[in-house]
Amino acid sequence: MGGIDGPALGSLCEALRGPVLAPGDAGYDEARRIYNAMIDRRPAVIAGCVDVADVRTALSFAQDTGLELTVRGGGHSGPGLCAADDALMLDLTPMRWVDVDPQRRIARVGGRSRWGDLDHATHGFGLATPAGIVSTTGVGGLTLGGGHGHLTRRYGLTIDNLLSADVVLADGTFVTASETEHPDLFWALRGGGGNFGVVTSFTFRLHPVDTVGLAMTVWPVDRTREVLRWYREFLPGAPEELSGFFALLTVPPGPPFPEPIHGRKMCAVVWCYTGDLEGDRLEKALTVVNVPGPPAFHFTTPVPYPALQSMFDGLMPKGLQWYWRGDFFDAVPDDSIAVHEKYGQNLPTGLSTMHLYPIDGATRRVDADDTAWAYRHATWSGVIAGIDPEPANAGLVRRWCVDYWSELHPHSMGGAYVNFLGEEESADRVRGTYRGHYDRLATIKHTYDPDNFFHANQNVPPTTS
């Protein structure tokens, strides 16, 4: 039991309404598994928290026993920061709920909810908020890191639509953070990661989003140079209702892709159009895809927004080997395009990929100092992801990712989307990600978590004075 004696474990079981699991218990091995199968850690105890009272009890137990604490929401942390050997995993799995107020266009969301839960609840009212590209991602981790996705160019980052958050602090205090209550904490939560407490619920602003235009355009990977030169010029000047992320990928063997291109390495743009879909307006908006040369495949269709959000879920199920790294970019110079071309032609496995997510448009209408997110003038957030189902290929995908990132990083702005940082990346890398906001975050950390109890994250240690 990782050093927890029977009576102590029994007292935790009695105090919590949620399930408590220790090594050897039925369900323990399934409960400890996270999205990235490259991470295989064995907590001393998993405390399932049903409500705020459970969270406070679990925090107190970890402090009394001296156990390291990790917090699991959706479990999508690439470096596995939600799990640690011989630690207490505070598991928010039972706190999965969504409450929508369509008249006020807001939604309150439990700390363990997935984006698919929110999309399902809001779609019935023709509403949504910006959030990623995979519906199984947890609301908590994505939001606290900043959050970008298909709707970002039009409606901003996820944190730009966060109205408040309920938080349990290290000393057990329960607070609501917003523009008017604990505004310093609210500032820090919007991009500062899990450094400040356990967020038990989020309240978001919603926007009118119902049926959107989906398009996918793919070209042979040896056209990467021409396509990226065109893409870097076209998209930043396109209307904000059109978004499209650039990708290097291997075409999966299934619809909508025709069989002749199955398994081929390609460069691609995955488009989302939130403008008027009457007539052929989607097709007209994308006639430009022929500018860099005729694509090998181009597909357009109107879809419900939740269908777009869940489009990659089947390709990326829980249990794959993942290794990723990221960077912010304000430009895509020719020298960096040569790097993309090189590594796109050498994708090591069928699922390994690189994405450039556009984060301009509405993101830039928020002042640079209004949130902890420090890269308001970036144009793209890039991620390189080595992915494969086979553990034997873990080293292969990791080497490809690290080599690719090492050659591309000199062309970046220096920092990265915090959710794309790896666990082994240095404290200087975290500081570079927050730039001029780092010292302010450290001061707020000292106010709300002076002992750095919440350190299983991309950590910002508290100031010492």
Side-chain angles (χ1 to χ4, degrees), residues 98-109 118 121-130 154-155 158 160-164 202-210:
V98 179
D99 182 20
V100 180
D101 184 334
Q103 281 71 43
R104 297 170 62 199
R105 290 186 177 177
I106 63 172
R108 188 164 173 259
V109 185
L118 179 58
T122 59
H123 183 66
F125 302 105
L127 300 169
T129 203
R154 185 162 189 186
Y155 296 122
T158 305
D160 299 338
N161 296 279
L162 181 65
L163 299 175
S164 67
F202 301 83
T203 301
F204 295 104
R205 178 188 301 111
L206 305 175
H207 302 275
V209 179
D210 192 346

Side-chain angles (χ1 to χ4, degrees), residues 175-359:
V175 300
T176 297
S178 68
E179 292 283 4
T180 57
E181 301 178 82
H182 300 280
D184 55 343
L185 177 60
F186 187 56
W187 179 89
L189 291 174
R190 288 176 291 167
N195 274 284
F196 304 95
V198 180
V199 181
T200 57
S201 73
F202 301 83
T203 301
F204 295 104
R205 178 188 301 111
L206 305 175
H207 302 275
V209 179
D210 192 346
T211 298
V212 300
L214 161 66
M216 299 186 69
T217 313
V218 299
W219 297 263
V221 74
D222 60 11
R223 301 287 302 283
T224 297
R225 189 177 300 266
E226 297 93 331
V227 174
L228 258 179
R229 284 175 171 169
W230 162 74
Y231 173 81
R232 72 185 180 188
E233 302 299 327
F234 167 71
L235 193 64
E240 290 177 4
E241 58 263 29
L242 180 65
S243 184
F245 71 85
F246 178 86
L248 295 167
L249 53 83
T250 301
V251 175
F257 301 106
E259 188 173 352
I261 65 171
H262 289 178
R264 290 181 59 187
K265 293 180 174 63
M266 295 279 186
C267 61
V269 181
V270 179
W271 306 96
C272 172
Y273 181 68
T274 56
D276 188 347
L277 292 174
E278 288 295 320
D280 60 353
R281 293 191 183 187
L282 172 61
E283 289 75 14
K284 286 183 176 179
L286 290 172
T287 56
V288 293
V289 300
N290 291 296
V291 171
F297 175 70
H298 178 64
F299 170 80
T300 65
T301 184
V303 296
Y305 176 68
L308 172 63
Q309 282 290 86
S310 58
M311 184 172 64
F312 298 108
D313 291 1
L315 282 176
M316 306 293 186
K318 179 180 178 181
L320 301 176
Q321 307 284 311
W322 282 78
Y323 189 87
W324 64 32
R325 286 192 178 183
D327 269 317
F328 288 121
F329 301 90
D330 58 359
V332 183
D334 286 351
D335 287 349
S336 74
I337 291 176
V339 178
H340 290 304
E341 185 176 45
K342 171 183 174 180
Y343 285 91
Q345 290 172 339
N346 293 285
L347 293 166
T349 61
L351 293 174
S352 295
T353 188
M354 187 284 303
H355 294 173
L356 285 174
Y357 300 110
I359 52 172

Side-chain angles (χ1 to χ4, degrees), residues 26-41:
Y28 168 84
D29 282 328
E30 178 59 30
R32 71 182 178 86
R33 291 192 182 99
I34 61 173
Y35 186 72
N36 184 1
M38 199 177 286
I39 310 298
D40 183 21
R41 295 173 182 155

Side-chain angles (χ1 to χ4, degrees), residues 12 15-19 47-59 90:
L12 181 63
L16 255 61
R17 293 180 65 198
C49 296
V50 170
D51 52 24
V52 170
D54 274 0
V55 171
R56 296 177 69 184
T57 298
L59 292 179
L90 194 157

